[in-house]
Amino acid sequence: MEKGNYMKKVVKFGGSSLASPEQFKKVADIIKGEDSRRYVIPSAPGKRYADDTKVTDMLYQCHELKENGKDIKPLLEKIKSRYNEIIKGLGLKLSLEEEFAEIHRQLDAGAGSDYAASRGEYLNGMVLADYLGFEFVDAAEVIIFHMDGTLDVDKTNELLKDCLKSREYAVIPGFYGKLEDGTIHTFSRGGSDITGSLVARAIHADMYENWTDVSGFLVADPRIISNPEIIEAITYRELRELSYMGAGVLHEEAIFPVRREGIPINIRNTNAPEEKGTLIVESTCRKPRYTITGIAGKKGFAAINVDKDMMNSEIGFGRKVLGVFEDNGLSFEHMPSGIDTMTIVVQQSEFVEKEQQVIAGIHRAVHPDIIEMESDLALIAVVGRGMKATRGTVGRIFSALAHARVNVKMIDQGSSELNVIVGVKNSDFETAIRAIYDIFVTAQL
Ligand code: ADP
Ligand code: ASP
Ligand code: MG
């Protein structure tokens, strides 16, 4: 064990890192390997193999069965056996019989889906605390949400500080907390990352380690690019752009608490702890290896094109058009514009239901010459702090896409020059990502 430093680290382990007794052993080795790894945030047991089911998904299903008046006993037994496999495999004496009986009672009494889902982390936290010999802290005591479901940031920070002040080591389950009235409430999926970040902020951690099943933040989604390069260091802002655009490693909201305190996040691989992973920092003078830091993207957008001669000189035109979206409760993703044309890019699934109201509203608000729509678009974000200093980046993106016969529907470069957003057809999505990856990364190797 490395001793003698007074560093404090918060370590969060994802579902696949805690899916079986073998994985638990790796996790314990990592934690015990450094004295500074004091506060541990576990997820619920994830997949043990490719087509396995996550415990969280089974718990949501349990709640749904209950809602439909079906018997939940067999599924609860299956979930129990997931935990018992771990408990037995680790040789622990712990019994979760009472806990499962209580969960059954609560679901019978009408507990909500958040309660059901939260039990995955709650139980896994108990098992891990028992195995490590660390104290267990129920997240419901320290993570507090307002009644509208938003986090009570200050209260949570205070409670976490108070609670952990007197505890040198603790396990705090991820993903959930409670509402002001005591009802259990969860973050959105993948939210254990946020819990880890909140704990790191509260204790002024030196580092927030986020342990998962890949060796860091990769330049592109490994499901699209086989064996992509690992990003050594990335800034919060770059990461925010990438995770917002679908790079799923870290919950998109997880950077906010640590960012306030300038605490770095280190993405690490539980299955390859010797690798350094990715460091996420406020700023760095480390030069990225390539012009771009990463590529990410999402499918399922629609673009609404509004044309009107001389729109440019009509004061308030843009505001009026956006007002129509606002009135219909729609947020927009991007808004590239020309002199007599503006395009509003929205999420298709939200937009379709309100399509006709929006078009009618735009007609009424600004009397355009033409409104055209295009659906089934994908947006790809090419992100990098290195792009500012490099000429021709956009040109290279275009030429790579042209070579791959991908038609570019839209392009938007933020004024920060940190990212370029390219819109392509959904069906061209993977080809486009590969083409961009090849020109900036493969060609430089
Ligand atoms: P955990 O359960 O540990 O929280 P997640 O499934 O939430 O793990 O996130 C890790 C997964 O994110 C990886 O297994 C990988 O498939 C996926 N992923 C998507 N984009 C990227 C990327 N750019 N870099 C690394 N992983 C990515
Ligand atoms: N277990 C939850 C989920 O599957 C939360 C998490 O893993 O962070 O979404
Ligand atoms: Mg995750």
Side-chain angles (χ1 to χ4, degrees):
M1 165 151 352
E2 288 173 33
K3 272 226 172 238
N5 60 34
Y6 296 93
M7 292 232 309
K8 281 186 290 187
K9 286 184 180 174
V10 170
V11 286
K12 178 257 168 181
F13 291 88
S16 53
S17 303
L18 291 166
S20 65
E22 294 71 36
Q23 292 298 89
F24 263 73
K25 286 179 189 160
K26 292 184 196 168
V27 165
D29 283 345
I30 290 166
I31 296 168
K32 303 278 170 161
E34 246 187 55
D35 202 26
S36 55
R37 295 187 175 126
R38 305 232 197 123
Y39 301 106
V40 186
I41 318 298
S43 286
K47 294 182 179 190
R48 291 160 294 183
Y49 39 85
D51 53 3
D52 198 9
T53 313
K54 287 177 161 196
V55 163
T56 309
D57 290 321
M58 292 200 268
L59 287 162
Y60 278 123
Q61 210 184 332
C62 237
H63 178 259
E64 209 177 300
L65 285 178
K66 187 77 224 170
E67 291 270 282
N68 295 323
K70 304 250 170 61
D71 182 15
I72 58 171
K73 189 120 205 285
L75 188 52
L76 266 184
E77 284 300 321
K78 215 166 140 189
I79 298 171
K80 199 200 292 176
S81 70
R82 287 287 312 260
Y83 289 99
N84 284 340
E85 177 197 326
I86 297 169
I87 291 172
K88 193 155 167 260
L90 297 175
L92 302 176
K93 297 214 170 54
L94 183 70
S95 161
L96 295 177
E97 284 303 320
E98 240 325 291
E99 296 293 340
F100 272 94
E102 173 64 12
I103 293 168
H104 204 158
R105 272 197 296 277
Q106 290 290 341
L107 289 173
D108 280 346
S113 61
D114 279 15
Y115 169 79
S118 75
R119 296 304 89 183
E121 272 61 18
Y122 172 79
L123 296 171
N124 224 23
M126 290 187 122
V127 178
L128 186 59
D130 193 72
Y131 183 45
L132 294 171
F134 285 13
E135 195 169 338
F136 173 80
V137 172
D138 185 354
E141 303 303 319
V142 281
I143 307 275
I144 310 295
F145 295 92
H146 296 295
M147 289 311 286
D148 66 1
T150 55
L151 184 74
D152 186 336
V153 177
D154 295 334
K155 181 98 200 213
T156 296
N157 197 42
E158 241 171 72
L159 288 173
L160 276 170
K161 253 189 194 154
D162 267 4
C163 167
L164 299 178
K165 192 164 59 191
S166 54
R167 292 172 172 83
E168 227 185 329
Y169 298 92
V171 172
I172 308 123
F175 191 40
Y176 73 93
K178 71 176 178 205
L179 296 172
E180 282 153 4
D181 72 357
T183 315
I184 295 290
H185 187 75
T186 67
F187 292 108
S188 56
R189 294 299 304 263
S192 302
D193 293 332
I194 307 175
T195 311
S197 186
L198 290 166
V199 174
R201 176 193 171 199
I203 63 142
H204 300 291
D206 296 285
M207 177 74 80
Y208 169 24
E209 287 179 349
N210 191 293
W211 293 81
T212 182
D213 60 354
V214 277
S215 290
F217 213 102
L218 306 165
V219 174
D221 190 331
R223 289 161 293 193
I224 299 175
I225 305 287
S226 65
N227 263 323
E229 291 283 300
I230 297 164
I231 301 171
E232 226 173 276
I234 182 171
T235 63
Y236 293 138
R237 289 179 62 210
E238 290 173 306
L239 179 95
R240 170 99 178 107
E241 301 281 351
L242 288 171
S243 45
Y244 180 73
M245 284 302 279
V249 206
L250 195 72
H251 192 290
E252 54 168 318
E253 289 162 34
I255 60 166
F256 296 119
V258 284
R259 190 177 181 167
R260 292 168 82 128
E261 300 281 325
I263 300 164
I265 308 174
N266 189 192
I267 309 276
R268 300 284 292 265
N269 189 348
T270 301
N271 305 313
E274 67 288 354
E275 292 186 18
K276 288 208 300 237
T278 301
L279 205 57
I280 306 165
V281 293
E282 174 65 45
S283 62
T284 174
C285 53
R286 287 191 216 202
K287 288 238 163 33
R289 200 157 354 143
Y290 312 102
T291 306
I292 61 163
T293 303
I295 314 163
K298 280 193 211 166
K299 292 183 181 177
F301 293 96
I304 300 94
N305 250 307
V306 184
D307 276 28
K308 187 180 185 189
D309 285 347
M310 304 294 289
M311 87 163 48
N312 212 23
S313 53
E314 205 175 311
I315 292 172
F317 189 95
R319 179 183 52 77
K320 287 180 204 157
V321 172
L322 292 181
V324 175
F325 287 86
E326 186 178 347
D327 293 345
N328 282 284
L330 293 169
S331 61
F332 71 96
E333 297 285 326
H334 287 281
M335 195 183 57
S337 59
I339 296 184
D340 291 329
T341 163
M342 69 187 275
T343 303
I344 295 97
V345 181
V346 290
Q347 263 180 36
Q348 192 164 328
S349 55
E350 285 177 12
F351 177 69
V352 275
E353 294 154 32
K354 296 178 177 160
E355 177 189 82
Q356 294 309 315
Q357 289 102 292
V358 172
I359 294 173
I362 298 176
H363 273 293
R364 251 178 275 130
V366 294
H367 311 290
D369 297 333
I370 313 168
I371 300 181
E372 275 173 338
M373 282 188 291
E374 176 138 23
S375 57
D376 300 324
L377 292 177
L379 294 181
I380 297 170
V382 186
V383 176
R385 59 188 185 280
M387 297 194 321
K388 215 174 187 159
T390 321
R391 256 177 291 156
T393 309
V394 177
R396 286 170 79 192
I397 297 174
F398 271 127
S399 100
L401 293 175
H403 271 102
R405 300 185 180 286
V406 172
N407 192 7
V408 176
K409 298 277 173 189
M410 180 209 102
I411 184 150
D412 195 2
Q413 178 173 26
S415 53
S416 62
E417 290 186 57
L418 188 70
N419 69 342
V420 174
I421 308 278
V422 189
V424 300
K425 275 269 169 218
N426 272 346
S427 53
D428 282 334
F429 180 67
E430 284 84 5
T431 313
I433 290 194
R434 277 186 215 113
I436 298 170
Y437 183 85
D438 282 345
I439 193 130
F440 286 105
V441 182
T442 317
Q444 313 290 314
L445 288 176

